[in-house]
Amino acid sequence: MAGWWRQTGGGLPRTFWYLWASTLINRLGSFVAIYLGVYLVSVRHFDPSYAGMVIGLHGAGSALGTLLGGIVADRWGRRPAMLSGNVAAAATALGLGLTDRPVAIAALTLTLGLFLGVARPAFTATIIDVVGERDRLRALTLNYWAINIGFSVAATVAGVLIRAEPLLLFVLNAAVLLGTAALIALKVPESRPAPETVGQRDRADRGGLGTVLRDRVFLTFTALTGLIWLCIEANAMLPVALRADGLPASAYGPVIAVNGLMIVAGQLFVPRLIARFDRSRTIAVAAVVIGAGFAVTAMADTILLYGLSVLVWTLGEMMMTPANSALTADLSPAAQRGRYQGVYSLGYAFASFAGPTVGGLVTSRFGDTVLWLGLGGLALLVALGNLLAGPARTRQIEGLRAPAPDPARPVPAPV
């Protein structure tokens, strides 16, 4: 075990571990995002349609925030983006807990999503800045592991808090955000690459999104990532499928718990399994595994089979997530990492909205079996897309790794 841990977590810089601790603390207190819908319906007694709209505003704010945060991280620095995002989000979360006016709740929820989004691209860009290329897959996997541990604990604690004193959801969430900001302020130095260390093309960059939006290789990768996350997010329809098979509503808890338990227990073993393989091929294999999981869901009619289906697609998710994160880092120019992270996050923002929406429409019109088989087919198309896109990604990565020409060195005259 000692040797395995050295290979999994050894050799990473101290700054990374402060960032890892920040992630864990932040996610341990992410009560508002988890229980906002329950709070609005059960505590404030709003209509479910209003609650759904407010949750959608949180997602929209997060999408806008990641774009803004990427620009801030590249233009002014990683620390300004992380500190301003967390402090402003803390104040917004506290205000959200103190108001009961529908318009104010909607506006503050949108703002909360925006500020939380501002901090995220800078956070991931800092990990990429401080961790060497050889160790990034391990580092990003450890960060994803911390996210899932924090989420699992927060979901349990939030259920207790909302029954005891709902305002504590917002007060403790604000305190955790301030604690995250304090840890970053004290222990995480600025890591944005200095202008003299980047290539000539990066020095000419004006700090906008144009460079990212003209990068067809990266945009294709982001679109494919969004589609596979859409498949996973469509699992919001799993309780409907359980009910259609005559299973109790309480069955959803142990079935979906397989996902969190597997990630917490097994995610740290993934880097050693996939590190030596090409990223695009790894993602393609992961998409096939995810599609196979949905095929099992289509055939499931017992709690055991539904649990097996979650186990299968979770294996694919565990392979895909660190490979996706590492490939994002590989495809991003050093001076534009924040903006590339911001645009990449749009794929997940799209999926978090489109997955449940498409899943609900398909289930209501054609039934859940068509939904699961359709998601399995879509996952196979994503796998094919990643295989076809692999050569172009390899060329772009090799171009980014090539040393920039020295403008001070004269070009030899042709013979």
Side-chain angles (χ1 to χ4, degrees):
M1 286 298 294
W4 168 80
W5 177 248
R6 282 195 298 270
Q7 292 182 344
T8 303
L12 295 172
R14 182 176 298 178
T15 299
F16 165 76
W17 289 112
Y18 287 127
L19 290 166
W20 185 88
S22 299
T23 295
L24 184 61
I25 293 169
N26 187 285
R27 296 304 172 126
L28 284 171
S30 57
F31 306 128
V32 175
I34 295 173
Y35 263 72
L36 182 59
V38 176
Y39 169 79
L40 292 174
V41 174
S42 301
V43 178
R44 293 299 185 186
H45 306 295
F46 289 115
D47 186 86
S49 61
Y50 170 80
M53 182 269 293
V54 170
I55 294 171
L57 287 174
H58 186 278
S62 179
L64 293 173
T66 57
L67 292 178
L68 176 61
I71 293 172
V72 173
D74 286 342
R75 186 175 294 183
W76 291 291
R78 318 305 197 208
R79 279 167 56 87
M82 289 188 286
L83 294 175
S84 62
N86 279 289
V87 172
T92 306
L94 189 58
L96 182 58
L98 294 173
T99 186
D100 59 356
R101 297 185 178 184
V103 175
I105 288 174
L108 287 170
T109 301
L110 175 68
T111 307
L112 178 62
L114 178 75
F115 287 135
L116 290 173
V118 164
R120 286 172 186 153
F123 192 94
T124 308
T126 304
I127 292 178
I128 299 169
D129 292 338
V130 303
V131 176
E133 182 180 336
R134 187 182 65 179
D135 296 324
R136 282 177 189 158
L137 181 64
R138 291 193 297 132
L140 292 167
T141 300
L142 283 163
N143 193 61
Y144 181 62
W145 185 59
I147 288 172
N148 280 277
I149 291 175
F151 179 86
S152 300
V153 175
T156 303
V157 175
V160 176
L161 292 177
I162 201 167
R163 290 192 295 270
E165 173 50 63
L167 182 59
L168 285 175
L169 289 174
F170 302 88
V171 173
L172 293 178
N173 204 152
V176 164
L177 288 166
L178 291 176
T180 301
L183 181 57
I184 291 170
L186 294 172
K187 296 296 184 179
V188 179
E190 179 58 58
S191 65
R192 182 170 62 115
E196 61 270 16
T197 65
V198 300
Q200 186 67 30
R201 184 185 68 171
D202 292 334
R203 282 195 285 270
D205 175 37
R206 297 184 177 181
L209 293 172
T211 303
V212 190
L213 298 179
R214 288 190 295 270
D215 188 338
R216 288 181 293 180
V217 172
F218 185 77
L219 291 181
T220 301
F221 166 63
T222 299
L224 290 170
T225 301
L227 288 175
I228 197 63
W229 275 112
L230 180 151
C231 295
I232 294 174
E233 290 296 314
N235 271 295
M237 292 298 106
L238 200 54
V240 177
L242 290 165
R243 190 165 59 247
D245 283 327
L247 299 171
S250 59
Y252 178 70
V255 167
I256 201 62
V258 173
N259 176 261
L261 290 173
M262 285 187 61
I263 292 174
V264 171
Q267 188 66 53
L268 294 187
F269 295 94
V270 172
R272 295 183 62 184
L273 298 176
I274 68 173
R276 64 183 182 274
F277 298 109
D278 176 79
R279 308 270 197 242
S280 294
R281 292 178 182 175
T282 299
I283 296 167
V285 171
V288 172
V289 175
I290 290 170
F294 292 126
V296 176
T297 309
M299 298 182 291
D301 57 1
T302 65
I303 294 177
L304 183 62
L305 279 177
Y306 276 110
L308 176 63
S309 73
V310 174
L311 183 150
V312 174
W313 63 254
T314 298
L315 285 173
E317 179 188 350
M318 291 167 68
M319 295 168 56
M320 177 191 71
T321 303
N324 268 340
S325 299
L327 186 54
T328 306
D330 293 340
L331 292 170
S332 306
Q336 298 158 21
R337 283 172 180 154
R339 280 163 288 168
Y340 270 71
Q341 288 294 327
V343 172
Y344 171 74
S345 298
L346 290 181
Y348 180 76
F350 157 78
S352 64
F353 169 77
T357 303
V358 172
L361 290 173
V362 173
T363 299
S364 63
R365 173 162 288 203
F366 303 106
D368 61 270
T369 300
V370 173
L371 171 66
W372 306 125
L373 293 177
L375 293 175
L378 179 58
L380 294 179
L381 290 176
V382 170
L384 178 61
N386 276 286
L387 290 176
L388 294 175
R393 294 172 185 170
T394 300
R395 289 192 296 270
Q396 178 155 319
I397 293 168
E398 290 174 350
L400 291 171
R401 289 173 178 169
D406 187 352
R409 177 179 298 175
V411 179
V415 178

